[in-house]
Amino acid sequence: MAKEPSDVMDLEDRDPNKLNQHLQVSWEDVIGEPASIRSPECAWSVSNQCFKLSKNFCYVCLSVVCAPVTAFCLGITFACLSFEQIWCRTPTLRVWKISCASIRNFVAVFAHAIIIPCTSACGYFWSEIKVKTHAISGDVDEKKDDVLLV
Amino acid sequence: MAKEPSDVMDLEDRDPNKLNQHLQVSWEDVIGEPASIRSPECAWSVSNQCFKLSKNFCYVCLSVVCAPVTAFCLGITFACLSFEQIWCRTPTLRVWKISCASIRNFVAVFAHAIIIPCTSACGYFWSEIKVKTHAISGDVDEKKDDVLLV
Amino acid sequence: MAKEPSDVMDLEDRDPNKLNQHLQVSWEDVIGEPASIRSPECAWSVSNQCFKLSKNFCYVCLSVVCAPVTAFCLGITFACLSFEQIWCRTPTLRVWKISCASIRNFVAVFAHAIIIPCTSACGYFWSEIKVKTHAISGDVDEKKDDVLLV
C-alpha cells in the first residue's frame, strides 16, 4: 500500500508537491488599499463579497463541467507518454549511448593525434605572460591643484 | 477556518501584503512649502481641505460605483486563470519536464562523446599560461625624462 | 486617528517629507557680494526689500487665488490615480506574475535540458588553464642590450 501514495486520498491537502504555489489569487493577494486613501467600509465589504462569490462560483462551475473531461484526456496523454518513454525512448537512449561510446574513442584518438599537438604549440603564444604584484604604501589620491586660485 | 485567511475581514489593515506601498497620495506626500517661501495660513488650510475633500469624495464615489463591478470581473478572471493554470498549464509542464529529461540524456551523451573531447583538446591552447608572482620592492612609477629639459 | 497623520495640521513645518528642499529662493540664496566689491548700504537694503516684498506679495496672491483650485484638481487626480492603481493595475500585475511564473518553469526546464549540457561541454575549452605560483627572488627585468650601441 505504501507504494501507491494516492490510495488514501487526502481531501484537505490537495497540492502536496507544491505544484501551483505561484497561484496566489486570494483577496489579500490582489487588492490592497494603503493607509492614505480609503473606500467606505460598505464598498470594501461588498467588493470583497463580489470577488469571492464570482471567483468561487466560476471556478466551481468550470471544475464541475470541464475538470472531469480534462482529467480524462490528461490520463490518456500520460498513458501514451509513459508508453513512449518506457518502450521507445529509453531503449533508443541505450542504442545512442553505445554508439556514442565508440564514437568518443575515435574522436579522442583523433584529438590526441592532430588537435592537441597543434594547440599545445600555439599555446606558447601565452608563455611570456608575467604578473608582477607590487604593494603601494603611499597615498593614491593626489589632490589636484585648483589652477584658478593662486 | 484557519485556511481561509480572509474569513474574518480586517477593515483596518487593508493591505497586509503591502501591494500598494508605492501609492503615497496624502497631502504631505504631494505638497510641501520650504521655509524660504510661505503662503498665508488661510490659503494653506483651504487648499489642504480642498485637496482632502475632493480626493476622498472622488475616491469614495468611484469605489462605491465601480469597485463591486470591478471585483466581480476580477473574480471571474482569476477563477478562469486558476482553472487554466491548475488543469492545463501545470500538467503540460509535467509533460514538458518528462520530455526534456529524456532529451537531456541524449544531449549529454552527445556532448560527452563529441564536444568534450574536441574542446578539451582545443583547451591545450591555454596550457602554457603561467602566472609567476614576484614582489617588487622598489618604485614602480618611473618618471619619464622630460626630453624638452636638459 | 493616529493613522491619518494630517489630522492635526502643522502650520509651521509645511514640508515634513522634504519635497522641495531644492527650492532655495531666499535673498541669501540668490544674491551675494564678495568682500572685494561692495555696493552702498542703501542700495543693498532697498534691493533686499524690493526682492522680499515682490516675491512674497506675488506668491501670496498666487497661492490665495490659485492654490485651492489647484488643490481641488489635484485631489481628483490623485483619487482617480489611486483607484486605477488599486483596482486595475495591481490585479493585472498579479495576473502577469502568475503567467510569467509558469512560463519561467518551462524556460528553466528547457535550459537545463538543452543549453546547460552544451555550454558545460564547451566550458572544457578552458580546462587547461593552470595558475602556478612561484616566488622569484632575483631581478625579473633583464635589460635587453641595445643593439644600436657597441
Side-chain angles (χ1 to χ4, degrees):
Chain A
M1 297 289 277
K3 286 196 175 175
E4 187 74 273
S6 58
D7 265 1
V8 182
M9 204 172 167
D10 189 354
L11 286 171
E12 283 306 313
D13 181 14
R14 294 187 182 181
D15 192 4
N17 293 332
K18 311 292 182 197
L19 298 174
N20 286 311
Q21 262 192 323
H22 62 286
L23 206 61
Q24 298 172 323
V25 294
S26 69
W27 174 254
E28 288 83 8
D29 297 324
V30 178
I31 302 288
E33 277 186 339
S36 57
I37 192 160
R38 286 288 170 94
S39 57
E41 294 193 357
C42 59
W44 182 254
S45 305
V46 168
S47 304
N48 188 343
Q49 292 303 316
C50 282
F51 179 82
K52 279 191 194 168
L53 288 178
S54 68
K55 191 186 77 173
N56 289 337
F57 181 76
C58 184
Y59 185 70
V60 164
C61 288
L62 279 172
S63 61
V64 166
V65 175
C66 304
V69 181
T70 312
F72 181 78
C73 298
L74 284 174
I76 293 176
T77 304
F78 279 101
C80 296
L81 183 70
S82 302
F83 184 85
E84 189 258 339
Q85 290 281 330
I86 294 172
W87 296 93
C88 306
R89 196 70 66 93
T90 308
T92 312
L93 178 64
R94 175 60 58 197
V95 174
W96 181 243
K97 276 184 179 174
I98 293 170
S99 307
C100 283
S102 67
I103 288 174
R104 182 176 59 181
N105 291 332
F106 281 87
V107 174
V109 167
F110 172 80
H112 274 84
I114 310 286
I115 301 178
I116 290 181
C118 293
T119 51
S120 296
C122 290
Y124 278 86
F125 185 57
W126 311 106
S127 61
E128 286 298 320
I129 292 179
K130 295 188 185 69
V131 176
K132 302 172 188 174
T133 61
H134 176 65
I136 302 171
S137 56
D139 276 336
V140 171
D141 319 308
E142 302 107 15
K143 284 191 183 174
K144 301 259 173 104
D145 292 330
D146 190 347
V147 295
L148 294 179
L149 296 179
V150 182
Chain B
M1 297 288 275
K3 287 202 172 171
E4 187 74 271
S6 56
D7 266 1
V8 182
M9 206 175 163
D10 189 354
L11 286 170
E12 281 307 312
D13 182 13
R14 293 186 181 180
D15 193 4
N17 293 331
K18 311 291 182 199
L19 298 174
N20 287 311
Q21 263 192 323
H22 61 288
L23 205 62
Q24 298 174 324
V25 293
S26 67
W27 174 255
E28 288 83 8
D29 297 325
V30 178
I31 302 289
E33 277 186 340
S36 58
I37 192 160
R38 286 287 170 96
S39 57
E41 292 194 357
C42 59
W44 181 255
S45 305
V46 169
S47 302
N48 188 343
Q49 292 302 316
C50 282
F51 179 82
K52 278 192 196 169
L53 288 178
S54 68
K55 191 185 78 174
N56 288 336
F57 181 75
C58 184
Y59 185 70
V60 164
C61 288
L62 279 172
S63 61
V64 167
V65 174
C66 304
V69 181
T70 312
F72 182 79
C73 298
L74 283 175
I76 292 176
T77 304
F78 279 101
C80 296
L81 183 70
S82 302
F83 185 83
E84 191 259 340
Q85 290 280 330
I86 294 173
W87 297 92
C88 306
R89 195 70 67 92
T90 307
T92 313
L93 177 65
R94 177 61 58 195
V95 174
W96 181 243
K97 276 184 179 173
I98 293 172
S99 305
C100 283
S102 66
I103 288 174
R104 182 179 58 181
N105 291 331
F106 280 87
V107 174
V109 167
F110 172 80
H112 274 85
I114 311 285
I115 301 178
I116 290 182
C118 292
T119 50
S120 297
C122 291
Y124 279 84
F125 185 54
W126 312 105
S127 61
E128 287 298 322
I129 291 181
K130 293 186 187 69
V131 176
K132 303 171 188 172
T133 61
H134 175 64
I136 303 170
S137 56
D139 275 337
V140 170
D141 319 309
E142 302 106 16
K143 286 192 181 172
K144 302 261 172 103
D145 292 330
D146 191 345
V147 295
L148 294 179
L149 298 177
V150 182
Chain C
M1 297 289 274
K3 285 202 173 171
E4 189 72 272
S6 57
D7 266 2
V8 182
M9 206 174 163
D10 189 355
L11 286 170
E12 283 309 312
D13 182 13
R14 293 186 182 179
D15 194 3
N17 293 330
K18 311 291 183 199
L19 298 173
N20 287 312
Q21 262 192 323
H22 62 288
L23 202 63
Q24 298 173 326
V25 293
S26 67
W27 173 255
E28 290 81 10
D29 297 325
V30 177
I31 303 289
E33 277 185 339
S36 59
I37 190 162
R38 286 289 170 94
S39 57
E41 290 194 0
C42 58
W44 181 255
S45 304
V46 169
S47 302
N48 188 343
Q49 292 303 316
C50 282
F51 178 82
K52 278 191 193 168
L53 287 178
S54 68
K55 190 185 77 174
N56 287 337
F57 181 74
C58 185
Y59 184 70
V60 164
C61 288
L62 279 173
S63 61
V64 168
V65 174
C66 303
V69 181
T70 312
F72 182 79
C73 298
L74 283 175
I76 292 175
T77 304
F78 280 103
C80 296
L81 182 70
S82 302
F83 185 83
E84 191 259 340
Q85 290 279 331
I86 295 173
W87 297 92
C88 306
R89 196 70 66 92
T90 307
T92 312
L93 176 64
R94 175 63 58 195
V95 174
W96 182 244
K97 276 184 181 174
I98 292 172
S99 305
C100 284
S102 67
I103 288 174
R104 181 180 61 180
N105 290 331
F106 281 87
V107 174
V109 168
F110 173 79
H112 273 86
I114 310 285
I115 300 177
I116 290 183
C118 291
T119 50
S120 297
C122 290
Y124 278 83
F125 185 54
W126 313 105
S127 62
E128 286 297 322
I129 292 180
K130 293 187 188 70
V131 176
K132 304 170 188 171
T133 61
H134 176 64
I136 303 169
S137 56
D139 273 338
V140 170
D141 320 309
E142 303 106 15
K143 285 192 183 171
K144 302 258 173 111
D145 293 331
D146 190 346
V147 295
L148 293 178
L149 298 176
V150 182

